[in-house]
Amino acid sequence: MNIKIQPTRRFSLKVPAEERHLAEIRDFVEETGEKLLIPNKILANTKLAVDEACTNVVKHGYKDLPGGPIEVVITGNGREFSIAIHDKGRPFDLRNVQSPDLKMYVENRKRGGLGVFIMNQLMDEVRYRHGHDGNTLIMAKRLDRRRVRKRKGIEGPRRSLRFQYTLQTFGALALLVTLAFTLVHVRQAASLADEMVAQARSGARSLSDPALGILSRPEPMSPDQTMLNQSIRATMRAHPEYRTVRVLDAGGRVWGSNQFEELFTRRSVPKTGVIRDGDARTLYEPVLQPEAEGNKILRAPVGWIEVSLRESAITERVQRARFELATVALLTLLAGCVLSALLIGIFVKPIQALSDTVRAIGEGQMLTEIGSSGNEEIDDIARAFNEVTAKFRAAQGNLMEQERIQREMQVAQEIQQTLLPRSVPELEGFELGYLYRAAKEVGGDYFDFIAVDERTVGVVVADVSGKGVPGSLVMTMIRTALRMEARGNRSASDVMSKMNSFVTEDMKKGMFVTMFYVVLDSVNRAVTYASAGHNPMILYRGGQDATYFLKPKGIPVGINAPDQDLFRKTISVEKLTLRQDDMLVIYTDGITEAMNPAKEQFGEARLLTAIKRHGHKTPQEFADALSEEIHEFTAGALQNDDITLVAIKEKTAVEERLEETRRELFRLIETEGLPVAEACERLHVAPSTYYRYRRRVETMGAVEGMKASRRGAGFARASLEEEAAILAIVHAEPLLGSKRILDLLQGTDRCRADMTERSVYEVLRRHGLNTREKRLQFAQNGSDNRMARLAKALSSSAPAASAPSPAEPGQPQGEEA
């Protein structure tokens, strides 16, 4: 199969000669190779050669020189391609480069100095020229026309040993079965014909006695003759394969026949044996008359019984036997083929493994050692190839190191991509959106949406401490364990505790995972969440334009502590009920630690500002807007970590939805007469809810009794904006206590109307400012405090309007239906 010749195509890329742009060049080569249909193995070698060349230009060509450009031009037509690398740095003379001593490199473990050798080994032609317009390195490669790059989903024509041996065995079995069938059938056909003749002869003998009576005393139209003809007709009915049956005397006169008009006619004198005449076979059986001669009894023929067999009847019998024999032969062939395939699979498997390994080594792939097969001869060959492969890897280790690292990163990225969800789930009342941007170096970010049951969805965002393939494998374990434990379990802390027990022993020492897990209940409109040492989740109250940090206690997953129950003991679960237009934001530190070219981080302040700026949008619109802000902030700087975010927004009026559920519950129980347990199960409501609200209806009436029994239950926590305002007051007036700080806040409309002195004190205690001495020290040392820095970012926001206090994270705002 030949490669279809394409028109010559040209692609170019021009970037500054800096190390951070080498990744762009690798991506450009890979994308161009895909367009030119360059085989994967050749493309990998080409990327390695280009990377070596560009690295040498950056490190040596522009060393101690002002930065300049690198231009990569790729030209190809399906049969061959060339890569030209232009630069304006110091020239380099390829003629002075000698082939290196690889043994010396391996023994001395020397790195570097092999760039030109790599290019010469991987490419068919390498040329270099220097002119007034700069330097140009040209590398060319010719494609093998017999090898067409495999399209996605189409395998090549190579046949395995198992296939070849199985095909040959099938052919041999088919030939043997065909020969056996032919021989048996020929013998069977002759045997069936003889058998039918023998049966006809036996039938003729059965007529000997009535025939003897009429032939020994010939009397036309006698009772004996009548009985003889009746016997002949009975014989014809019993044997439809007979065409005629006649009884002849020694002179050929017919005394009995199945055809009445033949009686008393004369026929030729019968011959011995079987006579074939057209479509019939005729045989003659003698009718013998016993005669006494001395002491012996002799039997002399007095007539003949003639039986004529239909040739078509014999043919039909042979055809039936042929069909039966062919069926048996076919079943035997199929059984033999299946058994042969199984046996060949068992016998050829070690040979196939050895063959594949040898072929891979011949193609330049670096493989692990061949394992033991249980066959001594094959194991001897395998050991010999293992030694060759080990020496080959040792000699080529330095040359293939970069390609191996790139391949590992690619595998890790592929693993990572397969773990991530393709779309957000549909959950009544909630709207979800996400942002995920992978770094060039694979990190360990992971997010997922888990179907807990038909009314509940779990949302997880995690960050693995390791990078590369180990981090991706840990993500795989986390995902499997979490999905297994979350199914049917709506307790966030219990799910994470069981998952931690499942994966801790299998995690590499020193690796850990931070994780935030949220459970969304679409019926009770409840949100429960737990954290394993992850960044705090941000709650944005749309009605108040206020933000909150939600950070339950918990240690990272995978820490192998002496106390096996430490994770379960330390993790806590919190619960809240969102209001309409409230939004939850779960993120990884790839967002806050994203840096611009000046090494400034995006930070929490910019994240909170973006949330307040775009919080009125849908979660996906918010995620897209935040992605654009991060892109503008980083201004093309290299991304060093994955960027992951999941946003959750409440779309419904929660109290109205819950009140409708309670009214439907009362209708089912008190109007339709359903049992309490059945009605509660249908609406996914706890039975205690019905009894609690029945008491309220009896006391307060149907209208007021159906409303929420608890509104804003528990301690009202200060928002980040209120915390920032409190810290600003402490910095200006460190001698004021909680009550005076609250008076100043309320006098300037910087807090809600129901803000309490206890809330102010909790803010001071959380920041270590609950004593006068600590507040004085805080004012003297300046505002180098995390919340103080956030105050500057949030100071431009409008003051929050007076509104009912939000529920303290960790306590429900409304009842659990």
Side-chain angles (χ1 to χ4, degrees):
M1 181 177 180
N2 293 332
I3 297 177
K4 183 178 179 180
I5 301 177
Q6 306 172 2
T8 301
R9 304 172 67 185
R10 184 178 185 274
F11 305 88
S12 64
L13 173 69
K14 191 173 185 179
V15 296
E18 300 175 5
E19 286 190 34
R20 62 192 181 96
H21 291 289
L22 294 177
E24 296 181 36
I25 297 176
R26 285 194 294 269
D27 293 342
F28 166 71
V29 174
E30 183 171 4
E31 293 172 2
T32 303
E34 294 285 342
K35 296 175 182 178
L36 294 176
L37 298 180
I38 300 175
N40 289 327
K41 180 174 178 290
I42 296 178
L43 181 58
N45 293 338
T46 303
K47 287 195 298 181
L48 181 60
V50 172
D51 191 69
E52 283 290 339
C54 293
T55 301
N56 286 333
V57 170
V58 172
K59 291 185 175 180
H60 305 293
Y62 284 102
K63 185 178 181 180
D64 301 328
L65 294 178
I70 294 180
E71 184 178 9
V72 181
V73 179
I74 302 179
T75 306
N77 59 8
R79 293 181 302 177
E80 60 183 4
F81 66 93
S82 64
I83 301 175
I85 301 175
H86 306 282
D87 71 272
K88 297 185 178 180
R90 292 189 180 89
F92 181 72
D93 191 355
L94 290 178
R95 293 172 297 179
N96 295 331
V97 179
Q98 299 178 353
S99 298
D101 184 354
L102 295 181
K103 182 178 180 181
M104 179 270 293
Y105 272 78
V106 173
E107 293 176 351
N108 297 337
R109 301 184 181 274
K110 181 179 178 181
R111 292 176 177 268
L114 297 174
V116 176
F117 175 75
I118 290 177
M119 289 183 277
N120 285 320
Q121 291 294 317
L122 299 180
M123 307 301 289
D124 293 335
E125 183 181 1
V126 179
R127 292 180 286 116
Y128 185 86
R129 66 175 177 82
H130 169 66
H132 65 278
D133 57 345
N135 310 310
T136 302
L137 173 66
I138 300 176
M139 297 182 290
K141 186 73 174 180
R142 290 176 294 277
L143 301 178
D144 188 350
R145 292 173 57 87
R146 294 170 297 177
R147 295 186 179 180
V148 180
R149 187 177 183 181
K150 293 181 181 179
R151 299 283 185 177
K152 187 176 182 181
I154 301 178
E155 294 293 334
R158 184 178 65 86
R159 296 177 178 179
S160 64
L161 290 175
R162 181 183 302 178
F163 177 81
Q164 295 177 17
Y165 289 162
T166 303
L167 188 63
Q168 295 172 3
T169 304
F170 286 178
L173 285 176
L175 179 61
L176 290 176
V177 170
T178 302
L179 292 175
F181 169 80
T182 303
L183 294 175
V184 172
H185 176 63
V186 170
R187 298 184 62 181
Q188 188 181 47
S191 176
L192 287 174
D194 294 342
E195 181 182 349
M196 291 188 70
V197 170
Q199 290 176 354
R201 196 177 297 281
S202 176
R205 291 195 189 103
S206 66
L207 296 173
S208 294
D209 290 339
L212 179 62
I214 188 64
L215 293 177
S216 60
R217 294 182 300 275
E219 184 178 349
M221 305 306 292
S222 65
D224 290 341
Q225 188 178 23
T226 302
M227 291 180 62
L228 175 62
N229 286 313
Q230 289 178 352
S231 298
I232 290 174
R233 286 192 293 271
T235 300
M236 291 293 293
R237 287 194 298 269
H239 298 279
E241 67 271 17
Y242 296 170
R243 190 173 72 174
T244 59
V245 177
R246 300 183 182 95
V247 176
L248 310 175
D249 61 14
R253 189 176 184 183
V254 179
W255 286 91
S257 175
N258 62 310
Q259 300 177 12
F260 183 77
E261 62 274 12
E262 290 183 349
L263 292 176
F264 308 115
T265 61
R266 289 187 177 275
R267 298 178 62 84
S268 61
V269 177
K271 300 178 181 179
T272 59
V274 178
I275 302 172
R276 299 188 65 171
D277 182 16
D279 64 342
R281 296 189 188 189
T282 305
L283 61 92
Y284 297 91
E285 182 67 20
V287 179
L288 303 176
Q289 173 68 48
E291 295 182 357
E293 182 178 338
N295 294 330
K296 297 182 180 179
I297 299 177
L298 302 177
R299 303 178 67 87
V302 295
W304 304 87
I305 299 174
E306 177 186 309
V307 178
S308 180
L309 282 172
R310 298 180 186 273
E311 191 69 33
S312 59
I314 298 175
T315 303
E316 290 176 1
R317 181 76 177 272
V318 171
Q319 287 178 347
R320 286 197 301 271
R322 181 191 302 140
F323 177 77
E324 294 175 357
L325 182 62
T327 303
V328 173
L330 182 60
L331 293 177
T332 303
L333 176 62
L334 292 176
C337 290
V338 172
L339 182 61
S340 299
L342 294 176
L343 294 176
I344 288 173
I346 296 174
F347 295 147
V348 175
K349 185 176 180 180
I351 302 176
Q352 183 71 58
L354 181 61
S355 173
D356 292 342
T357 305
V358 173
R359 183 182 296 108
I361 293 174
E363 294 177 355
Q365 300 181 19
M366 308 294 286
L367 300 178
T368 57
E369 291 187 350
I370 306 172
S372 175
S373 65
N375 185 287
E376 184 175 353
E377 289 80 5
I378 295 177
D379 288 347
D380 290 340
I381 300 174
R383 282 190 290 271
F385 273 104
N386 286 337
E387 294 177 2
V388 173
T389 306
K391 294 178 181 178
F392 180 73
R393 282 201 302 266
Q396 298 293 327
N398 289 325
L399 298 178
M400 304 304 294
E401 183 175 2
Q402 284 190 336
E403 184 178 359
R404 179 187 60 79
I405 294 174
Q406 291 176 4
R407 188 181 300 115
E408 180 181 340
M409 292 298 103
Q410 182 179 359
V411 170
Q413 283 182 339
E414 291 174 356
I415 295 174
Q416 193 174 20
Q417 292 295 330
T418 59
L419 300 180
L420 302 179
R422 298 290 186 268
S423 60
V424 297
E426 295 291 336
L427 188 64
E428 184 180 2
F430 292 105
E431 189 173 7
L432 296 92
Y434 68 90
L435 166 62
Y436 178 78
R437 191 193 300 170
K440 292 296 182 182
E441 286 189 357
V442 179
D445 279 11
Y446 161 63
F447 77 97
D448 202 359
F449 306 108
I450 304 169
V452 179
D453 52 40
E454 67 276 3
R455 65 170 186 169
T456 311
V457 167
V459 180
V460 60
V461 173
D463 189 358
V464 182
S465 61
K467 293 181 179 294
V469 172
S472 297
L473 295 178
V474 169
M475 285 172 54
T476 306
M477 286 196 305
I478 292 292
R479 179 178 184 269
T480 302
L482 190 64
R483 284 178 169 250
M484 178 178 64
E485 300 295 346
R487 192 174 296 113
N489 190 346
R490 292 197 288 269
S491 172
S493 59
D494 186 56
V495 169
M496 294 181 68
S497 298
K498 292 179 178 179
M499 180 268 299
N500 177 73
S501 301
F502 185 86
V503 303
T504 297
E505 293 184 359
D506 295 327
M507 288 182 62
K508 183 180 178 182
K509 185 177 180 181
M511 294 187 69
F512 60 88
V513 182
T514 65
M515 179 183 300
F516 209 104
Y517 182 51
V518 179
V519 180
L520 306 175
D521 188 338
S522 63
V523 174
N524 296 315
R525 314 308 304 164
V527 178
T528 55
Y529 53 93
S531 174
H534 197 71
N535 299 327
M537 179 171 65
I538 299 175
L539 167 64
Y540 173 68
R541 294 283 194 191
Q544 302 169 215
D545 194 35
T547 53
Y548 298 80
F549 275 153
L550 310 181
K551 188 174 178 61
K553 293 186 297 182
I555 63 174
V557 173
I559 296 179
N560 198 351
D563 185 359
Q564 297 182 354
D565 293 331
L566 179 64
F567 187 91
R568 185 178 294 273
K569 292 176 181 177
T570 55
I571 194 169
S572 63
V573 63
E574 296 183 358
K575 183 177 181 181
L576 61 83
T577 299
L578 297 177
R579 299 173 181 173
Q580 191 172 11
D581 295 330
D582 284 358
M583 184 167 68
L584 296 172
V585 178
I586 319 169
Y587 64 96
T588 62
D589 53 14
I591 293 178
T592 55
E593 295 178 3
M595 290 190 294
N596 60 14
K599 304 300 181 181
E600 296 176 340
Q601 292 188 347
F602 189 76
E604 289 178 334
R606 289 185 177 86
L607 175 59
L608 291 171
T609 303
I611 291 174
K612 293 171 70 68
R613 182 184 299 118
H614 305 292
H616 62 283
K617 300 179 179 178
T618 66
Q620 193 57 54
E621 290 174 346
F622 160 72
D624 295 339
L626 178 62
S627 177
E628 185 63 27
E629 287 198 12
I630 296 173
H631 179 74
E632 293 177 357
F633 173 79
T634 54
L638 185 64
Q639 179 183 332
N640 295 318
D641 200 359
D642 292 351
I643 290 176
T644 306
L645 175 143
V646 175
I648 307 165
K649 198 162 191 177
E650 175 64 76
K651 299 190 298 182
T652 63
V654 176
E655 284 303 325
E656 294 179 4
R657 176 69 62 87
L658 294 176
E659 190 172 334
E660 290 176 3
T661 302
R662 292 191 288 269
R663 293 188 183 280
E664 177 65 14
L665 178 64
F666 271 71
R667 187 189 68 80
L668 293 176
I669 296 174
E670 299 183 359
T671 303
E672 296 189 6
L674 261 67
V676 174
E678 183 179 346
C680 291
E681 183 179 359
R682 179 182 298 185
L683 297 179
H684 304 288
V685 173
S688 59
T689 300
Y690 167 71
Y691 294 113
R692 181 169 70 251
Y693 280 93
R694 189 178 68 176
R695 291 192 296 269
R696 287 174 54 84
V697 168
E698 292 173 353
T699 305
M700 306 169 60
V703 177
E704 292 297 325
M706 286 291 180
K707 294 182 179 179
S709 61
R710 293 176 292 171
R711 291 181 178 275
F715 164 68
R717 179 175 180 171
S719 67
L720 295 178
E721 291 79 7
E722 291 167 342
E723 288 192 35
I726 292 171
L727 293 178
I729 293 175
V730 171
H731 185 261
E733 301 287 345
L735 298 179
L736 299 182
S738 301
K739 187 175 185 308
R740 294 293 306 279
I741 293 175
L742 177 62
D743 292 340
L744 288 178
L745 284 176
Q746 292 177 340
T748 57
D749 292 332
R750 295 297 301 275
C751 69
R752 303 183 307 276
D754 59 350
M755 185 76 169
T756 64
E757 181 181 349
R758 179 177 178 80
S759 301
V760 176
Y761 178 77
E762 284 298 323
V763 172
L764 297 177
R765 184 186 61 80
R766 192 158 52 247
H767 293 280
L769 303 175
N770 52 330
T771 65
R772 179 177 297 182
E773 291 77 10
K774 293 179 180 178
R775 292 196 291 275
L776 285 171
Q777 185 179 2
F778 173 75
Q780 292 173 357
N781 294 339
S783 57
D784 188 16
N785 177 281
R786 176 166 168 258
M787 283 307 305
R789 292 193 300 271
L790 292 178
K792 297 180 181 180
L794 300 175
S795 60
S796 59
S797 302
S802 178
S805 62
E808 167 70 2
Q811 301 180 7
Q813 178 172 334
E815 80 285 1
E816 180 183 1

